[in-house]
Amino acid sequence: MEQPNPTGLRFFSLGGGNEVGRSCHILQYKGKTIMLDAGVHPAYQGLASLPFYDEFDLSTVDILLISHFHLDHAASLPYVMQRTNFNGRVFMTHPTKAIYRWLLKDFVRVTSIGGSPNEKDDNLYTDEDLSESFDRIETIDYHSTMDVNGIKFTAFHAGHVLGAAMFQIELGSLRVLFTGDYSRELDRHLNSAEIPPLASDVLIVESTFGTATHEPRLSREKKLTQLIHSTVTKGGRVLMPVFALGRAQELMLILDEYWSHNEEELGNGQVPIYYASNLAKRSMSVFQTYVNMMNDSIRKKFRDSKTNPFIFKNISYLKNIDSFQDFGPSVMLAAPGMLQNGLSRDLLEKWCPEPKNMVLITGYSVEGSMAKYLMLEPENIPSVNNPEVNIPRRCQVEEISFAAHVDFQENIDFIEQIRASNIILVHGESNPMGRLKSALLSNFSSTKGTEDEVHVFNPRNCADVILEFKGVKVAKAVGTIVEEIQKEEKEIKEEKEIREEDANIKSETSDVKLEKSDEKIIPKEGKQNDDNEGVIISGILVSNEKNFDLNLVSLEDLREHYSELSTTVLRERQSVQVNCRKELIYWHLCQMFGDISVLEDEDEITNVVENGETEKKINDDMGRLVLEIMNDLKLTVVNHVATLEWIQGLISDSVADSIIAILMSVDSTPASVKRSSNSCNHNHTHGNTLQIEQTDDVWKIKQISKLFTRQFGDSFTLLLGKNNSDNIKKEENTEVKQETDDIFGMVTIGKNTARINFSKMKIVECNSNPLKGRVESIMNIGTDLVASLC
Ligand SMILES: [Zn+2]
Ligand SMILES: [Zn+2]
């Protein structure tokens, strides 16, 4: 088969695709494999009844979830666990596990009786296989979530039969809901299927009834009791083939009640009802044990009467047909439900030649089964024990569905509430499934071409469905980055307060938000978030393939907490020849970066600069000067060679660029000339509102903007006022329109921006203090540069 798609979700059926029976589906996502159900096909025997297990390497399955105990969902489980290389974990609900054991024991018995001696090898597994595998099955409670290697799954009520579960599976941020067989109808003993509280991205849903609509429950019950009533009063026998557990109990609740209400007409016990199943007694104790998992009405009945509601007044149990005295009219509920073999088949062959008898089919009949064949009202049926013999069929055949599957309306209501944009139909014959697909597509036609377009798939067995998800990744902030987020949040809050105060005098806000691929917006939890502001934080996303965890950590934490990850620190070093005195370099850097630590200063030049000790003669300019700039960068100047060392990073790299630019130009800038000449006791004003004199305005701004370009490269943009376009180099960026003739500039580094009015030499807006400091320094240098030499 095709290799699993590494990025998408892969779905395919080994059974139950365009058919009812041998339910078995595979989900693969990011190296995880989930198997859903392991059934047999009720119309086939032996190996032919299995899902296409040969088409898949079962050893890769992490978990197998069994939706309910029906044979078409669970009966090949012992085969999978004992006879294949499967070694995953298996989960089902408590009642499913309890009932499964007795059912499959019976299944082993019936199939080994059914097969002829030379078909013995055809048996899928033995009693020993069953009991050996049984202990390895794990149970899950409704509404509880399990986590196996990062695959999370939660069980919800599915209605249908006692213990039936829908599973919502979480794979990272992706949620898949598998309904199994489900019903939404409130019946006498079961809870109906629930809508999980969290929406799902993918819905794998049964389609048994396609677009068919059930008659209302009450009218079906009425029809059922009337048909039975009229048959028995005419002296006929009623055969109701049923699956041993599940619907049989529901039908018995209906019949027992009806018999009690119509005692006289039904001859005061003269018309017996039998429940013929190897599991009759067992089923009673199982249903008693799990009354607490049924609906309120049956629990109330149990509490009030203090008796088991599954002990019926009018129904007797038959273990086998030998003890049955067939003298007159009777009603017989007998397993199995599709009349393939066993008790119900024996009774069918016995009763079908008689016209006053009736076969009443209430369950879902799979294609290829005797129950399905019988509905065609054939002239003859083959004898199961003696295939050469044909038995005439003259009895009445009726079908009233009590199958606990959703009908079209119930299914579509449910599907709408799940809100999945990908719907995969399973568990349906291809025609009803195809009709349901068309009906769903027309129902969701308004979503076509939109982002929320609903896709419907009805794959055949072993045909892939690959779904790609862009998905919003949610990462958990871990370690010191959390403090960073809190700090940023605080700053935003403070800024917001200031903005609100200034709101009356400011016409526009300074809220500029730039998004980058490695930055995540982290919503503020539990806080009012009325203007959708988020904190933008840079960090490293660490994804754990094992459990889909996605953590956002700072680099420091990465080294500390994820020691298994190798990290590389890139240390950079760059040297340039400088043909000027060291004090000049120091002075320029101080202007630019302010806070500079002097690590080494052999020629004591820093005193000269700082204290204006111009008298002191510096003869030798060969000594070492080592400076630390912005905490991260080390500059060593010795023998006219300046060497800069830093650890690679977004900020450090850009600071390093600036320093190199200064080093390269330091000996040629007018300020240096001025400084070197030392002819003026010019008092450097570090305010940022220096007015530039009207004369040569444009020339001055040009000079300063050149300096900005040198410092910030492409991060700097000059914005033109309407009358200056001739004089200053044309800029493509016209995003910000100026209302005055003033000339503005914009520095954008990552998420930080500064807007500068060059005409007034003033920072108009800046969302970062470090950037503001740098821009101010450059403006001061620029002002010095363009001031006339005195
Ligand atoms: Zn079922
Ligand atoms: Zn089923």
Side-chain angles (χ1 to χ4, degrees), residues 655-668:
V655 175
D657 284 349
S658 306
I659 295 171
I660 299 291
I662 291 172
L663 292 172
M664 309 260 283
S665 60
V666 73
D667 50 348
S668 59

Side-chain angles (χ1 to χ4, degrees), residues 68 72-73 181 405 427:
H68 64 293
D72 61 321
H73 298 260
D181 291 353
H405 295 275
H427 201 285

Side-chain angles (χ1 to χ4, degrees), residues 312-374:
F312 301 104
K313 236 173 82 189
N314 305 292
I315 298 170
S316 324
Y317 295 99
L318 273 184
K319 186 139 189 173
N320 56 58
I321 205 164
D322 304 334
S323 54
F324 171 51
Q325 296 178 322
D326 187 12
F327 294 133
S330 63
V331 179
M332 179 76 75
L333 291 96
M338 294 188 212
L339 299 162
Q340 288 297 87
N341 44 35
L343 276 172
S344 60
R345 180 62 172 260
D346 292 345
L347 285 165
L348 171 71
E349 292 182 14
K350 191 165 181 239
W351 289 348
C352 73
E354 183 62 57
K356 66 181 173 187
N357 293 342
M358 177 175 68
V359 179
L360 181 49
I361 292 165
T362 54
Y364 179 80
S365 306
V366 167
E367 285 300 338
S369 65
M370 174 50 71
K372 191 84 182 176
Y373 180 62
L374 209 58

Side-chain angles (χ1 to χ4, degrees), residues 512 514 717 719 731-738 746 748:
V512 182
L514 289 152
T717 313
L719 309 162
E731 289 294 334
E732 283 171 14
N733 190 342
T734 52
E735 267 175 11
V736 183
K737 283 196 187 117
Q738 306 307 329
M746 186 94 145
T748 307

Side-chain angles (χ1 to χ4, degrees), residues 39 42 45 65 94 195 254 292 316 330 343 358 448 500 540 550 568 571 574 580 584 611 618 660 677 717-718 728 744:
Q45 295 222 315
L65 307 175
H94 293 269
I195 308 282
I254 298 169
N292 65 327
S316 324
S330 63
L343 276 172
M358 177 175 68
K448 205 161 179 216
E500 275 162 12
I540 293 165
L550 198 58
T568 308
R571 216 173 270 280
Q574 206 167 342
C580 63
L584 204 55
N611 306 328
I618 303 163
I660 299 291
S677 71
T717 313
L718 195 65
I728 304 200
F744 289 78

Side-chain angles (χ1 to χ4, degrees), residues 646-682:
W646 73 99
I647 291 171
Q648 203 185 48
L650 201 67
I651 297 167
S652 313
D653 286 356
S654 103
V655 175
D657 284 349
S658 306
I659 295 171
I660 299 291
I662 291 172
L663 292 172
M664 309 260 283
S665 60
V666 73
D667 50 348
S668 59
T669 61
S672 297
V673 176
K674 195 156 60 108
R675 182 87 202 161
S676 301
S677 71
N678 206 14
S679 60
C680 168
N681 274 338
H682 181 76

